[in-house]
Amino acid sequence: METILRVEHMEKYYGNRGNVTKAVDDISFEVEQGEYMGIMGASGSGKTTLLNCISTIDTVTAGHIFINGKDITQLGAKQLSRFRRESLGFIFQDFNLLDTLTAYENIALALTILKTPAGQIDSLVQDVAQKLEISQVLNKYPYQLSGGQKQRVASARAIVTRPSLVLADEPTGALDSKSSRMLLESFETLNSVMNATILMVTHDAFAASYCKRILFIKDGKIFNELVRGYDSRKQFFNRIIEVVTLLGGDNTDVL
């Protein structure tokens, strides 16, 4: 199995000499191709900082991050921008769709930026839309879509370029329970059918129960790791809640 992401002894500090905060403190882990992995932790635990560094939004203080064998901590600004476009897909809590473009155009834009031949764009957009069950809304604008539909359009945009790694930051945070379930089922499709490698930060134990593996972060360090294995989603959810309890949270404010 190919290693898509390798984080080695990553550290991230904020502040100055007199007042230093260790947001991430010597974290190391790997994510293999086709994994669907979650990161959970209390507010201020360092999980979002970790994701920001992996996504190249932020830089590390020490350590290395390898994606597809390339050390992204050593890349310059122009190299990072190109790498981000070609290798990473992003799914945000607030969708980040362009209001003046239809759903179809929002998805196709990601391909246009990569200079995909025009003759290939339609089939790629239609294929991912069918898998995510949004074919019927492709001609609608974001204001005409429900929250769940917007997030599935955003997911289609993230995956249509076939990135090496899809990064999802609290993707269910702005959705109701029904829309959340539909989105998470869509993630399962992306993972199982399209073999997408997904790394998702979430506070929600229900969302996390769809993952295959979860890292729990506490005070900038890895506190625990759970592998779903052959557990049903309900069994995995119960195991997640047990760890959440140890961390001092509960299933409504997980972390």
Side-chain angles (χ1 to χ4, degrees):
M1 186 83 65
E2 181 184 356
T3 299
I4 295 296
L5 169 66
R6 186 168 81 252
V7 177
E8 291 186 350
H9 303 291
M10 181 190 144
E11 298 181 359
K12 179 64 180 180
Y13 303 162
Y14 293 106
N16 51 39
R17 290 183 181 180
N19 184 24
V20 175
T21 299
K22 284 187 177 182
V24 179
D25 187 4
D26 194 22
I27 281 182
S28 299
F29 66 92
E30 294 184 354
V31 178
E32 304 296 325
Q33 183 176 19
E35 272 204 274
Y36 181 1
M37 182 168 146
I39 297 177
M40 302 185 74
S43 178
S45 64
K47 65 183 187 298
T48 298
T49 300
L50 175 62
L51 188 73
N52 286 345
C53 289
I54 294 170
S55 67
T56 74
I57 292 173
D58 206 347
T59 57
V60 303
T61 303
H64 298 274
I65 299 171
F66 297 87
I67 298 177
N68 280 341
K70 181 175 292 187
D71 187 350
I72 64 173
T73 64
Q74 301 298 310
L75 299 180
K78 288 186 177 179
Q79 291 173 306
L80 272 178
S81 180
R82 180 177 179 180
F83 179 82
R84 195 181 298 125
R85 290 196 308 269
E86 295 179 349
S87 300
L88 300 178
F90 298 93
I91 304 172
F92 304 95
Q93 180 176 337
D94 55 359
F95 319 129
N96 282 12
L97 298 177
L98 296 176
D99 292 335
T100 56
L101 301 182
T102 64
Y104 181 101
E105 292 165 340
N106 267 283
I107 299 168
L109 181 62
L111 294 167
T112 303
I113 290 172
L114 288 183
K115 299 181 180 178
T116 303
Q120 298 177 18
I121 289 178
D122 185 66
S123 62
L124 290 169
V125 172
Q126 296 292 348
D127 180 62
V128 72
Q130 182 180 10
K131 288 183 170 67
L132 292 177
E133 300 181 1
I134 52 173
S135 299
Q136 74 281 7
V137 302
L138 287 179
N139 292 324
K140 293 185 177 182
Y141 289 89
Y143 76 89
Q144 297 173 304
L145 304 177
S146 68
Q149 289 170 333
K150 289 179 185 178
Q151 195 59 295
R152 279 184 284 159
V153 170
S155 300
R157 179 187 57 189
I159 198 67
V160 72
T161 58
R162 297 298 177 97
S164 299
L165 181 63
V166 176
L167 302 169
D169 186 9
E170 302 281 7
T172 62
L175 304 179
D176 58 38
S177 58
K178 181 180 178 181
S179 296
S180 293
R181 184 185 295 274
M182 292 178 68
L183 177 69
L184 293 166
E185 289 172 354
S186 297
F187 278 16
E188 281 190 323
T189 299
L190 295 179
N191 178 245
S192 60
V193 176
M194 302 183 71
N195 200 36
T197 306
I198 302 173
L199 182 63
M200 176 175 70
V201 164
T202 182
H203 72 283
D204 182 4
F206 176 77
S209 68
Y210 281 80
C211 298
K212 295 177 180 177
R213 179 161 67 107
I214 300 173
L215 287 183
F216 294 86
I217 308 297
K218 182 177 182 180
D219 300 329
K221 295 177 177 288
I222 295 176
F223 173 79
N224 202 347
E225 178 180 354
L226 289 182
V227 177
R228 180 170 172 177
Y230 295 104
D231 281 358
S232 67
R233 195 181 57 74
K234 184 176 180 179
Q235 289 171 325
F236 196 38
F237 173 83
N238 290 334
R239 290 171 59 201
I240 293 168
I241 292 300
E242 289 176 3
V243 178
V244 168
T245 301
L246 289 174
L247 279 167
D250 60 52
N251 61 346
T252 57
D253 180 33
V254 171
L255 314 164

